[in-house]
Amino acid sequence: TGKYFGKPITRLEDKQLPPSLFVEMISLLITLDKKDMAKAVLEKYLAGLNRPPAALFLLADLYLEKQKFSEALALGQEAGKAQAQKRRGAFDYASSSSWGYYSNMNRDETVDESLRKLHGYYVAAGKSQELITDFEIQRASQPDSLRLTEQLLSLYQLNGETGKAIALCEAFIAQKP
């Protein structure tokens, strides 16, 4: 095993580290191709009370690589919900019937990385239409929401549904001249 300040890194989950530092250390393990170790440490860490979204996404990615689609999807949904709860009431918040989602998109990005990840988990599980349907329902309840419109457009783009994306754009533009 590797060492972290002279102690076995497999005990990393027992350290009182800030979540961001813990996630950085796990990311380093993954980069060093110590994915099984990273997975084991993440599973133990996430079994506790602290379940930061970034750690949930990391474990979901590891499950996805092992083709554990339902586990990856469940963690992706939990990560989206955790982000939404941390920032409830923020401009970029959207909540569907089954989970919440908070966008952390940079201004230069066209598709939010969290949304892209979540879509990837749904695609891998063969359930991409469920995610789109959730966003369609949410947007129908808030038709003036630019953020929900952008997110749904992104999902259509990721899913290769260009016709739906164009129709949504045209409808939104007609609604907001």
Side-chain angles (χ1 to χ4, degrees), residues 61 67 74-75 83 101 140:
D61 289 343
Q67 298 186 353
L75 287 169
Q83 285 179 328
Y101 168 76

Side-chain angles (χ1 to χ4, degrees), residues 86-151:
K86 280 175 63 175
R87 297 170 174 93
R88 188 167 302 280
F91 172 74
D92 293 345
Y93 173 72
S95 173
S96 77
S97 57
S98 59
W99 56 276
Y101 168 76
Y102 178 81
S103 171
N104 58 0
M105 188 164 77
N106 294 327
R107 291 183 180 188
D108 297 336
E109 294 178 307
T110 55
V111 178
D112 182 316
E113 185 59 28
S114 296
L115 185 60
R116 183 188 315 273
K117 280 183 171 285
L118 196 57
H119 178 261
Y121 303 146
Y122 273 85
V123 168
K127 299 181 177 186
S128 62
Q129 193 54 50
E130 283 183 29
L131 180 64
I132 290 172
T133 299
D134 278 348
F135 271 86
E136 288 172 337
I137 291 167
Q138 185 64 23
R139 188 185 172 280
S141 70
Q142 299 176 43
D144 292 336
S145 171
L146 177 59
R147 175 54 78 195
L148 281 171
T149 301
E150 289 174 333
Q151 292 167 340

Side-chain angles (χ1 to χ4, degrees), residues 25-40:
M25 304 227 24
I26 294 299
S27 296
L28 180 60
L29 283 176
I30 293 168
T31 301
L32 295 171
D33 204 28
K34 301 286 186 185
K35 294 178 182 179
D36 289 336
M37 183 187 300
K39 180 179 161 290

Side-chain angles (χ1 to χ4, degrees), residues 5 8 16-17 19-20 22 25-26 29 42 58 92 97 107 120 137 156 161 167 176:
F5 298 120
Q16 296 298 323
L17 298 173
S20 60
F22 177 80
M25 304 227 24
I26 294 299
L29 283 176
L42 275 167
L58 284 174
D92 293 345
S97 57
R107 291 183 180 188
I137 291 167
Y156 286 152
E161 299 181 44
K176 299 256 183 204

Side-chain angles (χ1 to χ4, degrees), residues 73-86:
L73 184 56
L75 287 169
Q77 290 172 330
E78 183 181 345
K81 186 181 291 186
Q83 285 179 328
Q85 289 172 347
K86 280 175 63 175

Side-chain angles (χ1 to χ4, degrees), residues 10-84:
T10 55
R11 306 278 309 173
L12 182 62
E13 71 279 359
D14 296 333
K15 308 292 174 239
Q16 296 298 323
L17 298 173
S20 60
L21 181 56
F22 177 80
V23 167
E24 284 181 41
M25 304 227 24
I26 294 299
S27 296
L28 180 60
L29 283 176
I30 293 168
T31 301
L32 295 171
D33 204 28
K34 301 286 186 185
K35 294 178 182 179
D36 289 336
M37 183 187 300
K39 180 179 161 290
V41 172
L42 275 167
E43 287 173 335
K44 188 169 181 184
Y45 178 79
L46 292 172
L49 295 176
N50 194 8
R51 295 177 66 85
L56 293 166
F57 277 131
L58 284 174
L59 186 55
D61 289 343
L62 291 170
Y63 281 149
L64 196 61
E65 284 184 17
K66 299 283 186 183
Q67 298 186 353
K68 294 184 174 186
F69 303 125
S70 59
E71 292 92 337
L73 184 56
L75 287 169
Q77 290 172 330
E78 183 181 345
K81 186 181 291 186
Q83 285 179 328

